[in-house]
Amino acid sequence: MTRIKDITNLLENLAPLRYQESYDNAGLQTGDAQAEVKGVLLTLDCTEEVIEEALQKGCNFIVAHHPVIFKGLKQLTGGNYVERTILKAIRNDVAIYASHTNLDNVVHGVNTRIAEKLELQQQRILVNKPQTLMQLVAFVPVESTEEVLQALHTAGAGNIGEYSNCSFQVRGKGRFQPSEKANPTIGEPGKPEEVQENRIEVIFPANLQSRVMAALQKAHPYEEVAHYLYGLENQNQEVGIGIIGELAEEMAEATFLAYLKEKMQLQGLRYTTIGDKRIKRVAVCGGAGSFLIKDAIQQGADALVTGDVKYHEFFDAESQLMIADIGHYESEVFTKEIFYDAISKKFSNFAVLISEVNTNPVRYTF
Ligand SMILES: [Zn+2]
């Protein structure tokens, strides 16, 4: 039997909730995490129509990118679409989960999916999220060092880029005096003791803190584990917003616009012109990414592909890069594929369906 919790754990391994922005509300919005999953429906937005679709298709779990509960709810009387959606979900025992800015902020999330659609090469994160790495320093008796390091690595510590099981150690002398009430592994209560110990150091992503600390406590032989825990300012290559990469061949403006329309399946888009300049380096950000215009220019992007750009923000391009506003929905609709790939790879005992409802509230006429 698969529980809702099993799927949310999987999604949070991919996009830890800790990486969501402070204004966000990602996570389980309705439902019981312990309930059995009968079927999963994947969507960009959770609306009443999507709940109806879930019911018709026998799904009791909806995974969305945008949280339907985003601001605080003061009543649930059905006065607006958010309240009606939540009421309908609760009445029908449908759980709703949102993976939002946390999925924007991880390297295999929303923006990599756009970069893949555009076949960008040499992809990297445009702006790294600060303070997402930590360091643990622990003092371990020499003979227990291997066991403790193994436990820390199993918990996810010591991965740096393409390198795993990374650590540093140096030997020294540990001194301590247990109290009369202590129950020391080495030495006797009330007597000073000296032991050969290794100082071991590992780094790990901040979202693994509780798992890594639990592994240390469990594997370490001492009653009180001497350790230091630090937050690091080092850049984490795996966490941050936007992706920048390069097209296989540089393109003239008109060619790039046609390319964007084809690859992102667009009816149209709004853009700033760069005249005769050609486009090679491209930055992308799903949803509303105009806050990245300056970073994209600084990093030499010839174009920024995003959504929700306001009139005055288009001026910030300063003719240095093309701002291509492809629409919020159009830039993120492929997020459903990320959920699909992650869930269907791991589970096969229930249906995983991509919603067929077009939840885009914006329509076009030309
Ligand atoms: Zn969005």
Side-chain angles (χ1 to χ4, degrees):
M1 178 176 87
T2 305
R3 296 179 194 275
I4 303 276
K5 187 81 195 141
D6 300 324
I7 299 182
T8 62
N9 282 344
L10 173 81
L11 294 172
E12 284 164 27
N13 268 333
L14 175 74
L17 291 178
R18 184 182 175 123
Y19 294 154
Q20 69 181 303
E21 297 299 324
S22 56
Y23 56 80
D24 201 4
N25 190 33
L28 193 63
Q29 304 229 297
T30 67
D32 176 2
Q34 298 303 327
E36 181 180 359
V37 177
K38 295 183 184 126
V40 186
L41 187 64
L42 312 172
T43 184
L44 187 64
D45 306 282
C46 187
T47 61
E48 287 170 274
E49 231 182 320
V50 173
I51 306 260
E52 190 55 47
E53 184 188 15
L55 295 175
Q56 275 170 21
K57 292 178 173 170
C59 298
N60 66 338
F61 187 32
I62 294 173
V63 177
H65 181 48
H66 295 134
V68 59
I69 305 178
F70 193 59
K71 297 175 274 193
L73 291 176
K74 293 204 169 176
Q75 63 278 313
L76 270 173
T77 56
N80 59 43
Y81 83 94
V82 173
E83 293 176 23
R84 286 192 299 276
T85 303
I86 297 302
L87 283 171
K88 193 173 173 81
I90 292 172
R91 282 189 186 122
N92 291 285
D93 248 338
V94 172
I96 303 172
Y97 180 86
S99 182
H100 189 210
T101 52
N102 48 323
L103 191 63
D104 294 332
N105 274 326
V106 292
V107 75
H108 298 297
V110 177
N111 299 312
T112 292
R113 190 56 64 137
I114 302 171
E116 282 168 0
K117 297 272 172 203
L118 298 180
E119 296 172 36
L120 300 184
Q121 304 172 349
Q122 295 152 43
Q123 294 175 21
R124 59 184 166 78
I125 283 177
L126 183 62
V127 178
N128 297 96
K129 192 171 174 65
Q131 293 157 351
T132 60
L133 285 172
M134 299 189 82
Q135 182 190 27
L136 172 67
V137 173
F139 301 87
V140 191
V142 173
E143 58 280 9
S144 302
T145 302
E146 264 322 297
E147 197 184 332
V148 171
L149 279 174
Q150 271 316 316
L152 294 174
H153 294 326
T154 305
N159 294 320
I160 303 173
E162 293 303 313
Y163 297 83
S164 58
N165 297 354
C166 303
S167 68
F168 178 80
Q169 59 177 275
V170 63
R171 190 156 302 181
K173 195 193 297 176
R175 297 176 62 170
F176 52 86
Q177 182 169 334
S179 80
E180 294 296 345
K181 287 186 200 155
N183 180 22
T185 311
I186 299 171
E188 288 171 40
K191 286 193 181 165
E193 187 62 55
E194 257 186 35
V195 184
Q196 283 288 307
E197 289 180 343
N198 283 324
R199 172 191 165 113
I200 60 171
E201 305 182 11
V202 285
I203 70 169
F204 57 90
N207 63 298
L208 296 182
Q209 183 181 336
S210 53
R211 203 192 292 178
V212 168
M213 291 311 294
L216 173 69
Q217 298 289 348
K218 191 154 180 254
H220 199 289
Y222 288 2
E223 189 177 22
E224 301 281 356
V225 179
H227 69 279
Y228 309 133
L229 195 56
Y230 304 99
L232 299 180
E233 296 295 331
N234 299 38
Q235 281 199 347
N236 186 344
Q237 301 304 323
E238 315 251 297
V239 186
I241 191 74
I243 292 281
I244 188 164
E246 312 219 330
L247 296 166
E249 309 241 333
E250 59 174 29
M251 292 182 193
E253 183 174 287
T255 316
F256 181 67
L257 291 171
Y259 182 80
L260 260 185
K261 281 166 103 173
E262 184 210 326
K263 296 288 181 185
M264 301 305 291
Q265 297 173 25
L266 309 173
Q267 296 176 55
L269 70 150
R270 303 187 302 154
Y271 69 99
T272 59
T273 183
I274 50 166
D276 292 338
K277 224 177 117 184
R278 295 175 80 81
I279 293 171
K280 172 85 171 162
R281 188 172 295 172
V282 177
V284 302
C285 181
S290 58
F291 66 98
L292 292 171
I293 293 170
K294 282 202 170 60
D295 295 288
I297 292 174
Q298 266 169 18
Q299 297 192 35
D302 304 309
L304 170 65
V305 178
T306 187
D308 278 355
V309 181
K310 291 183 186 156
Y311 178 75
H312 287 286
E313 292 167 342
F314 281 108
F315 283 105
D316 295 336
E318 301 266 15
S319 308
Q320 292 184 65
L321 90 174
M322 172 198 283
I323 296 174
D325 183 340
I326 64 170
H328 194 128
Y329 179 87
E330 289 78 1
S331 70
E332 294 189 322
V333 67
F334 300 105
T335 304
K336 295 186 239 186
E337 296 172 7
I338 304 175
F339 298 141
Y340 182 84
D341 291 349
I343 300 170
S344 62
K345 201 184 280 177
K346 186 84 192 286
F347 299 100
S348 55
N349 51 332
F350 49 81
V352 182
L353 305 173
I354 290 182
S355 168
E356 293 168 78
V357 177
N358 176 356
T359 57
N360 191 356
V362 183
R363 297 291 145 114
Y364 302 92
T365 176
F366 296 98

